[in-house]
Amino acid sequence: MPLIGWLFIFAAFALVIGSLLFLRDSANMKIPEDKLEKIRERKEEQERADKEEQDRW
């Protein structure tokens, strides 16, 4: 295989590994409590709406 082929393969592996490392590092970020509360409220609203919609069927 020509050198350019090996370079493309190496670049693809480097991008995949770099993306996985970035995801691992960003997985430990803390969500502020006020945003977390908004998320919980929105989830409850959506579950209520889903249940009402399901009851209509």
Side-chain angles (χ1 to χ4, degrees):
M1 184 182 318
L3 180 62
I4 192 74
W6 288 110
L7 289 176
F8 277 119
I9 290 173
F10 177 74
F13 278 123
L15 284 172
V16 170
I17 299 297
S19 298
L20 289 174
L21 290 173
F22 178 75
L23 283 174
R24 185 192 65 178
D25 291 342
S26 65
N28 294 329
M29 292 183 354
K30 302 293 182 196
I31 299 175
E33 191 61 37
D34 58 334
K35 285 190 178 189
L36 199 55
E37 186 61 33
K38 286 182 182 180
I39 291 170
R40 289 184 185 126
E41 289 173 5
R42 177 69 178 126
K43 181 181 174 187
E44 289 174 7
E45 290 175 13
Q46 190 62 45
E47 286 176 351
R48 261 188 259 116
D50 289 346
K51 186 174 181 181
E52 288 175 8
E53 184 177 319
Q54 188 179 18
D55 289 344
R56 279 187 261 159
W57 288 97

